Every structure is written in C-alpha cells, then in structure tokens.
Amino acid sequence: MTDYSGIHTSVLLERSIELLGPALGRPGAVLVDCTLGLGGHSEAFLEAFPELHLVGLDRDPNALRLAGERLQRFSDRIDLVHCVYDEIDEALEGLGIDEVDGVLFDLGVSSMQLDEVERGFSYSKDAPLDMRMDDTAAFTAAEIVATYSEADLRRIFRDYGEEKLADRYARFIVRARDEAPILRSGQLVDIIQAATPAKFSNSGHPAKRVFQALRIEVNAELSVLERALPKAIDALVVGGRIVVLAFQSLEDRIVKRELMKRAASTAPAGLPVELPEHRPELKLLVRGAELADDDERARNPRSIPVRLRAAERIRRIA
C-alpha cells in the first residue's frame, strides 16, 4: 500500500477536528470535505469518528483516484465526487443528502499539484504553462498569456496577484509573445525577471504573484469560492459547523465577509427589540483568523500562510 504520510502533511489537522468534532459525534453524521486532495483531513476524520459518513469533492481526477486508494478501508462510509466545490448542492442532491453536519474547505492549490512539475503550477521548475486543477478542463495558463489583452493581463496580475509591477509585466509579456509563443513556465519566468527592476530583486521571487494570478484565473478560484460558501452554509443543519483554511489574503477576505455577514443581526438600526427573524444565522467559533502555531510552522512550512476561520449554524433561515 502507498505511504501517503510523506506526500502531504495536512495543515491544522488537529484544530480542524477540534472545531468540527462537536457537530460530528452523532451516528450517521455527514462531513463534506470540499477539497479532498490526497484525503489527509478526510482520513483523520474517518478514523476519529467511526460512525461518520464522508462526502469528498475534488475537481482533480488524479486526486480523487489517489484519495480513493488511501480511503479504501472506509469504502462503506465515503462518497467521492468529481466536481468543482461550488457544485456542492448538486453533489449532495445526487447522493440523496438533504443536510450535513460539517463542511471543510482547505483552499488553494494542493501540495500534490505543486509537486507535479508537469502541471506547471511552480515558477521554480520549467514545465508547460498549464495550471489546471482539473486536467480534463480546456482552459490553460498558456491561453491566457497568448490571448489576453495587455489591459486584462494587467488586471489579473493586480487583482489576483496584488502585483505592484502589473503594468510592467503585462507590457513585457505582450511584447515577448509578439516575437515568439510563450508556452512554458521557464519562458514566462525569464520575461518577468527581465522586466523586474534591480531595486525589487530582494522582494522574493518576481514571478510568484504572477503565477498566483494566472492560477486563480485559470481555475476561477475566487468566483467559485464566492458561490460555494453560501451553498455550504445553507446545507448545514442547525448545530452544524464549517471550517475554512485559506492560504492567501484574497480567499480569506471572501471567507471573512461571508461568515461575518451571516453572523450579524439583520435588525434595522434603532429597532428596540431584535425579532427572531433578524437573529444571526451563524456563531463565529474563533476570534478573527487563526494561524498555525510555531511548532507546526517549523514542522510544515506550507502551513505558514494559513488562516483558519470557523462558524456554527445556530438558526435556519425560513
């Protein structure tokens, strides 16, 4: 049997179990792992809760295959579904599940995808400019680089990469592609490095934010998250819980906004008494966003950027 422990270390695993655990103790409780990946979180939950049923979603067919192998011993308690996680409602309907007790999101690109050089996610290794989380999809990073206008490239570098040199990088890319197609990550890195002024040479790898922006655009990550969170919350039973692990600020802002909106009273200002229909739908379970502790950050460097948010559903909207 494959040893998966060395392939990927699940981030904030014990804390996720601690936060979701109170909702998962009843026989037949259902947990949806919206970002199954290699199944590290799911395996731990299935071990910790012997009567738990797990629904695992992932857009990456290869991840589903490997997770299925890893979780084979729980085959009678799992359903694995190939879909993007904003299709959580359709996935649950297809399984005949009306409501769930817990939802987990572990956002961003998976360790497996980063480590598979040919997927083109990494700026440190030369590979085809791909970046698809689902390799059955058609749209790749190479198409963005080849077809987007300078203005659109500038927009995604600025909005999705928070890149200060977005204008300059977009201009250099358009100029370079007029001379030769840009098909590989190494070509793009060379263009970005050539476009980076010397005074920015100590600000980390110059391609990091551009690659992040391209990945987000290829996979529509932010718009998918904006659609998925309300659906996931709506699927929770009263007393059900949601935990979200975000690895960059753009994701975390979306999560923060949705959870805080649902955890706030909708009573009009000045109303002397809060009516039941105005009471919050969620109760926040952590103050702000939690970070991994020093021990985990030292043990697993990929946990350094994580921000955890969690909530419990305390009221169902009529």
Side-chain angles (χ1 to χ4, degrees):
M1 175 177 276
T2 304
D3 178 11
Y4 296 93
S5 60
I7 299 176
H8 172 58
T9 303
S10 298
V11 172
L12 286 175
L13 178 57
E14 292 181 4
R15 184 59 171 146
S16 298
I17 292 174
E18 179 184 2
L19 287 165
L20 286 169
L24 303 180
R26 71 171 182 83
V30 177
L31 170 66
V32 184
D33 186 342
C34 289
T35 46
L36 181 66
L38 284 175
H41 281 100
S42 289
E43 180 180 46
F45 276 99
L46 288 162
E47 290 174 341
F49 301 96
E51 297 184 90
L52 178 69
H53 188 90
L54 178 108
V55 177
L57 313 181
D58 208 291
R59 66 169 80 187
D60 186 339
N62 193 41
L64 282 170
R65 178 182 60 80
L66 292 171
E69 294 174 2
R70 181 178 194 166
L71 304 176
Q72 178 61 36
R73 67 189 190 278
F74 306 109
S75 59
D76 60 333
R77 295 199 282 130
I78 63 173
D79 287 296
L80 306 185
V81 183
H82 178 220
C83 69
V84 184
Y85 54 70
D86 65 341
E87 298 169 322
I88 179 175
D89 52 344
E90 298 171 26
L92 291 174
E93 182 180 356
L95 295 170
I97 298 173
D98 296 323
E99 51 189 15
V100 303
D101 301 88
V103 177
L104 174 68
F105 287 90
D106 182 6
L107 300 172
V109 63
S110 75
S111 298
M112 179 190 69
Q113 290 165 338
L114 283 172
D115 293 341
E116 291 180 337
V117 173
E118 67 275 10
R119 304 290 288 271
F121 286 103
S122 176
Y123 48 79
S124 62
K125 303 282 178 60
D126 184 45
L129 266 178
D130 191 325
M131 301 194 193
R132 291 171 297 169
M133 291 179 175
D134 179 352
D135 60 12
T136 67
F139 191 50
T140 68
E143 292 182 59
I144 294 173
V145 171
T147 64
Y148 275 32
S149 67
E150 182 177 330
D152 282 337
L153 289 173
R154 181 168 61 244
R155 172 183 56 79
I156 66 168
F157 296 162
R158 182 186 63 240
D159 293 351
Y160 298 161
E162 300 180 292
E163 174 54 66
K164 295 178 181 178
L165 297 175
D167 289 6
R168 187 175 177 88
Y169 289 156
R171 186 166 66 252
F172 270 66
I173 288 169
V174 170
R175 186 184 304 165
R177 78 187 185 193
D178 286 342
E179 298 178 3
I182 305 169
L183 302 175
R184 300 187 65 83
S185 58
Q187 289 176 272
L188 183 58
V189 168
D190 289 344
I191 294 164
I192 292 169
Q193 287 179 324
T196 304
K199 65 180 180 180
F200 290 96
S201 60
N202 295 324
S203 302
H205 198 292
K208 179 179 180 180
R209 295 180 182 277
V210 168
F211 272 60
Q212 172 181 298
L214 289 171
R215 190 201 81 214
I216 289 173
E217 179 73 3
V218 168
N219 299 288
E221 291 176 50
L222 300 184
S223 58
V224 165
L225 180 59
E226 287 177 332
R227 292 190 296 270
L229 281 171
K231 293 180 179 181
I233 294 168
D234 289 345
L236 287 173
V237 300
V238 173
R241 293 185 167 201
I242 180 171
V243 166
V244 186
L245 308 176
F247 290 80
Q248 42 104 339
S249 59
L250 297 171
E251 294 171 336
D252 185 55
R253 285 176 207 157
I254 293 170
V255 178
K256 176 183 177 181
R257 182 170 64 243
E258 184 65 25
L259 294 188
M260 292 189 71
K261 179 181 76 175
R262 309 276 282 252
S265 171
T266 60
L271 199 68
V273 177
E274 183 184 55
L275 299 174
E277 60 266 30
H278 294 306
R279 289 175 185 159
E281 186 180 356
L282 298 181
K283 176 179 70 174
L284 301 181
L285 298 174
V286 300
R287 184 185 296 274
E290 284 191 8
L291 307 178
D293 62 26
D294 291 342
D295 287 345
E296 180 163 358
R297 291 157 74 95
R299 188 171 64 250
N300 182 12
R302 283 177 173 164
S303 71
I304 291 173
V306 71
R307 299 170 176 88
L308 178 150
R309 296 183 187 271
E312 178 180 337
R313 189 167 198 181
I314 57 175
R315 185 173 75 86
R316 180 173 291 281
I317 302 296

